[in-house]
Amino acid sequence: LSNPDLTLQGNGALGSTLVANPGTWDSGSDLTYAWLRDGVPVDGASSNTYTISQADLETTIEAVLTVSKFGFVTITKSASIEIPKGQLVASPPALSVSGAKASVGETLTAATFDWNFAANSSIQWLRNDVAIEGATGQSYTLSATDLGQNISCAVTGSLDHFDSKTVTSSSIKVVLGSLTIVPKPILAGRSKVGRTLSIKKNLWGQGVTLKYQWLRDGVKIAKATKPKYKLSKKDLGHKISVRIVSSQPGYFGVTRITKPTKKVVK
């Protein structure tokens, strides 16, 4: 019998097909094939082609050719290839924002998506491409620290016998947030000389700084910048109100002026 070598065509990538090339044998020769994975026969693999599956990753795939012909010694040939790790593929995650803009106080959410194989995913939010400590959930609430910064989300996929893969969303620049618009605050206390006026209730949330300016007929009262104001003889016959300016890092400020009191009496 002629005795050519068995060769393999193909790179062994996941999903690709290996072809066992037997060469040219004498007429009448009977050629049979078997494929082995790390030395163990693969069930049903008996043709001269073999498609690489997930189970083959990081193994050695061997083609075995047996050639027989009546009156001749049976010949066995083999050729093998090391199968590399698989490659994960996914599009970068899309980001959505809870409000109209990516502003301080709003929440960014990374859309769920699938890898080409059932990989495990881990999430890391980034500020100017640097990991934000502890920000590893599906959503991320923007803080004052993020103001003016570019926020993105990186998703890393991992799966046995695959190279890990990281895909990163496009970045979003964070703008000033808006403090909750509060109703007009209401004054408490009688408009009478000697009495003290104050705000009935603090309608702003935690972390908000309030600045006060008391007004007499709409004009600033010198040094009257405390949360409370004691009415004096100077206020007699005038109407008193207070302007409150709220501020918080990363937010636009909000200004509110109370409804004036009745004219102050004795």
Side-chain angles (χ1 to χ4, degrees), residues 18-37:
L18 297 176
V19 178
N21 184 359
T24 302
W25 292 85
D26 295 340
S27 177
S29 297
D30 184 25
L31 281 60
T32 60
Y33 296 89
W35 294 85
L36 284 67
R37 180 190 299 124

Side-chain angles (χ1 to χ4, degrees), residues 1-185:
L1 280 176
S2 56
N3 197 7
D5 289 331
L6 177 68
T7 59
L8 287 180
Q9 296 175 339
N11 59 14
L14 179 59
S16 68
T17 298
L18 297 176
V19 178
N21 184 359
T24 302
W25 292 85
D26 295 340
S27 177
S29 297
D30 184 25
L31 281 60
T32 60
Y33 296 89
W35 294 85
L36 284 67
R37 180 190 299 124
D38 285 341
V40 178
V42 180
D43 288 342
S46 58
S47 73
N48 71 318
T49 62
Y50 182 82
T51 300
I52 303 300
S53 70
Q54 190 172 346
D56 300 320
L57 297 177
E58 293 194 289
T59 68
T60 299
I61 294 298
E62 181 182 13
V64 178
L65 169 66
T66 301
V67 182
S68 59
K69 185 177 181 180
F70 182 76
F72 291 84
V73 175
T74 298
I75 296 174
T76 300
K77 296 283 187 175
S78 67
S80 63
I81 184 173
E82 300 291 328
I83 306 302
K85 287 185 175 183
Q87 301 298 316
L88 292 172
V89 178
S91 299
L95 299 185
S96 59
V97 63
S98 57
K101 297 180 179 179
S103 55
V104 174
E106 300 293 349
T107 298
L108 295 179
T109 300
T112 56
F113 66 99
D114 295 322
W115 298 95
N116 55 333
F117 288 87
N120 297 314
S121 294
S122 60
I123 295 176
Q124 177 62 64
W125 291 88
L126 309 173
R127 182 188 298 120
N128 296 334
D129 297 326
V130 178
I132 302 171
E133 185 176 356
T136 57
Q138 195 78 27
S139 298
Y140 175 70
T141 300
L142 300 168
S143 69
T145 306
D146 301 316
L147 180 62
Q149 310 303 309
N150 293 305
I151 304 299
S152 57
C153 177
V155 180
T156 299
S158 59
L159 182 62
D160 288 345
H161 308 300
F162 283 77
D163 285 320
S164 62
K165 175 76 172 180
T166 298
V167 290
T168 304
S169 71
S170 57
S171 62
I172 296 178
K173 191 167 186 176
V174 182
V175 299
L176 284 169
S178 298
L179 290 174
T180 302
I181 303 301
V182 298
K184 185 174 288 189

Side-chain angles (χ1 to χ4, degrees), residues 179-186 198-214 224-228 242-249 251-258:
L179 290 174
T180 302
I181 303 301
V182 298
K184 185 174 288 189
I186 300 173
S198 61
I199 303 299
K200 268 190 175 181
K201 187 178 182 181
N202 181 4
L203 301 173
W204 286 267
Q206 292 183 345
V208 178
T209 299
L210 301 178
K211 292 185 177 180
Y212 301 86
Q213 177 59 63
W214 291 88
T225 57
K226 303 294 184 182
K228 295 182 180 182
V242 61
R243 181 173 62 232
I244 305 171
V245 178
S246 62
S247 62
Q248 187 173 2
Y251 292 84
F252 289 105
V254 176
T255 300
R256 287 289 181 265
I257 300 177
T258 62

